[in-house]
Amino acid sequence: MVVFIELMNSIREFLDTGGQVLTVIAGVICLMWLLIFERLYFFFVGYQKMKKHMMQTWQSRGERSSWNAEQIRIANVSRVTESLNHNVALIQSLVVLCPLLGLLGTVTGMIEVFDVMAISGSGNARSMASGVSKATIPTMAGMVGSLSGVFIVTWLQRKTKRRTEQMEDALPLAH
Amino acid sequence: MKKMTKLLTTLLLGTLATSVFAQQQAASLDQLLKQLEQGQIAQSKENKQREADFNARKAQQDQMLADAKNTRDQAVKLSTELEETFQNNEIELGNRIEALNKRMGELKELFGVLQQVAGDARSKFTTSVVSAQIPGRGEFLDEFAQSMGSTSKLASIEEIERLWFELQREMTQNGKVHKFTREVVAADGSKSPQEVIRVGGFSLVSKGKYLEYIDETGSVAELIRQPNSRYLSSAQTLTSSNGDVVPFALDPTGGSILSLLVQAPDTQERVDQGGAVGYVILAIGAVGLLIALERFITLFLMGSKINRQLKTDVASNDNPLGRVMLVKDENKHADTETLELKLSERILAEVPKITSRLTLIKIVSVVAPLIGLLGTVTGMINTFQAITLFGTGDPKLMAGGISQALVTTVLGLVVAIPMVFISTLLNTRSRGIINILQQQSAGIIAERAESEELAKKGA
């Protein structure tokens, strides 16, 4: 319990030194990873179920060679692709947003530094420290968040493409 | 002096008279010479007369000289006597001062300490909010410090005790939360007596607002810019509480942090610092937001209608999927190839309605940070202009340009970040709908036909 409280305290301290933008970045990163975990869960559980169901209904069809059958197959594959692609674009846009938010934090931090300079002159480095940490920490956090997401997003996109192709192969047309 | 003036006047008159006379009378050079000769004769006569006069008065002159010498001797004598007295007095004075110093001894150090303490207390009282409650403490301390500074005056026991009392009172008051009524200058300049709460030596609060104490005028004024609402609410609870323990946000520096607050610009002023470029960015952002809102509503309604369509077999005319499905109903007996052509034709007609204006939102999200960059560069140009004119000595002169540079960048990002997010959401939505139209509509029609066939067979 004490360890947990200390952990919470140090997190809060970190968020305080980083300013409000850091909180937003934290929110964006949390949302991004939530969506990523949802995707992973779907890939390993939901997709398998869906695939099995699709194959069963396809196998149970009497004829698989007419125009109707072909169109139904295309529609089914498209449905699978759609559910595979669900939220991937959103995750990717969140990855792009992270460094932008970091930049926003940098600029607002610099504004604070210049405010301090305007009030107390440029001689006092210590009074500028708060602004400088508000400028640098969000940049770092944005970079870390974006980098942590980039690999997963690329992996997800490749996986989606591969699964779509597999799905097409799994529903063969009889000629 | 009088004699001298007389003599000078006579001489002057004499010369003038002769010259006038010469001018008037001298018809020829010979005549002038004669006149001059006569004049000399007259002058020497006059001189002889004067000499005789002088000789006659010689005895009188001697007497006067003797008198003058006598007076001088007397004065010299008096001066010597006075000088002697002065020296004696000087010695006496020195002795006495020495005696005084000897007797004062450590007391002198005490007075030095008193002067210092009085001065320190004076400067402490200038910034202390306790002075708002107890006015007029400063004058006594000022006088006291001054009289201690000049060595001629001794401090009385009353004065020393008064100093002690003031220090003790400050200390005691610093530990108290005290309510009192006094005149407060409101933010609009009007004065009215109000109930003021002083929290130790830290803050003054009245009617849920923070006040500041201005020593120069001895007045208490409302801060023109109040801190955040959560601090104000704590001040409000303090105002309305009666004796309970309440949480309160105080200024540990005794007012200097709160007075700096007045200088910090609020959001409105920040945006103003961005200048014309900042407003252009905001306008573009507003336009983008309006378009996005319209698209959100349209696509959401369209999506819900398509979902409804997916669940029923009856094609309706109010959504793109329904309109595509109607193609089959319109061409019941067409062969598959014709049907496919008709379908793709209808789909092509539907797609532009779904994707319209989405590019505009994308453009806004790209253009906003670019305009921000433009603002940054113009701001930097202003800054360098200031540097060329005034040099780099004063950072305050450069502050305008720099804040313009930074604020426009911030505004650009503030507009771009949500726009990127919104455009992704809208794109996903529209791509989903287009996907349904392009790849699933034919399948849906086929499924419908098959289920109809099954129903017929069953019947």
Side-chain angles (χ1 to χ4, degrees), chain A residues 18-34:
Chain A
Q20 284 174 316
V21 181
L22 193 62
T23 322
V24 178
I25 293 177
V28 167
I29 292 176
C30 278
L31 180 65
M32 183 177 84
W33 275 96
L34 223 82

Side-chain angles (χ1 to χ4, degrees), chain A residues 61 67 71 78 93 115 118, chain B residues 270 340 396 424 440 442 450:
Chain A
R61 268 183 76 91
W67 182 84
Q71 294 307 325
S78 157
S93 81
D115 274 353
Chain B
R270 277 257 177 270
E340 217 167 320
K396 285 170 200 174
T424 314
Q440 294 173 32
E450 279 188 0

Side-chain angles (χ1 to χ4, degrees), chain B residues 355-430:
Chain B
T355 56
S356 71
R357 290 195 284 283
L358 286 184
T359 350
L360 247 149
I361 294 170
K362 192 99 196 156
I363 287 172
V364 167
S365 77
V366 174
V367 158
L370 280 180
I371 300 177
L373 185 62
L374 177 73
T376 307
V377 180
T378 52
M380 288 321 286
I381 288 172
N382 285 348
T383 307
F384 283 114
Q385 216 141 35
I387 290 178
T388 339
L389 287 175
F390 308 111
T392 54
D394 191 358
K396 285 170 200 174
L397 289 172
M398 295 185 260
I402 290 176
S403 54
Q404 191 196 351
L406 295 174
V407 166
T408 47
T409 314
V410 168
L411 289 177
L413 287 171
V414 161
V415 169
I417 289 171
M419 279 299 151
V420 167
F421 195 70
I422 287 170
S423 89
T424 314
L425 282 180
L426 288 176
N427 266 329
T428 329
R429 189 114 194 129
S430 71

Side-chain angles (χ1 to χ4, degrees), chain B residues 166-182:
Chain B
E166 291 296 355
L167 287 173
Q168 187 72 38
R169 179 157 70 169
E170 172 78 11
M171 203 192 292
T172 318
Q173 289 298 336
N174 267 346
K176 277 183 188 163
V177 175
H178 189 81
K179 265 187 200 181
F180 58 97
T181 308
R182 69 159 291 165

Side-chain angles (χ1 to χ4, degrees), chain A residues 61 63 67-68 71-72 74-75 78-79 82 89-90 93-94 97 100-101 103-104 107 111 114-115 118-119, chain B residues 260 263 270 336 339-340 395-396 402 406 409-410 413-414 417 421 424-425 439-440 442-444 446-447 450:
Chain A
R61 268 183 76 91
E63 57 84 33
W67 182 84
N68 279 356
Q71 294 307 325
I72 287 171
I74 291 173
S78 157
R79 277 173 198 143
E82 197 182 311
L90 199 62
S93 81
L94 290 179
L97 279 188
L100 276 183
L101 281 168
L103 183 61
L104 183 67
V107 186
I111 287 178
F114 281 111
D115 274 353
I119 290 172
Chain B
L260 281 183
Q263 292 182 24
R270 277 257 177 270
T336 54
L339 187 64
E340 217 167 320
K396 285 170 200 174
I402 290 176
L406 295 174
T409 314
V410 168
L413 287 171
V414 161
I417 289 171
F421 195 70
T424 314
L425 282 180
Q439 303 191 356
Q440 294 173 32
I444 290 164
E447 275 166 2
E450 279 188 0

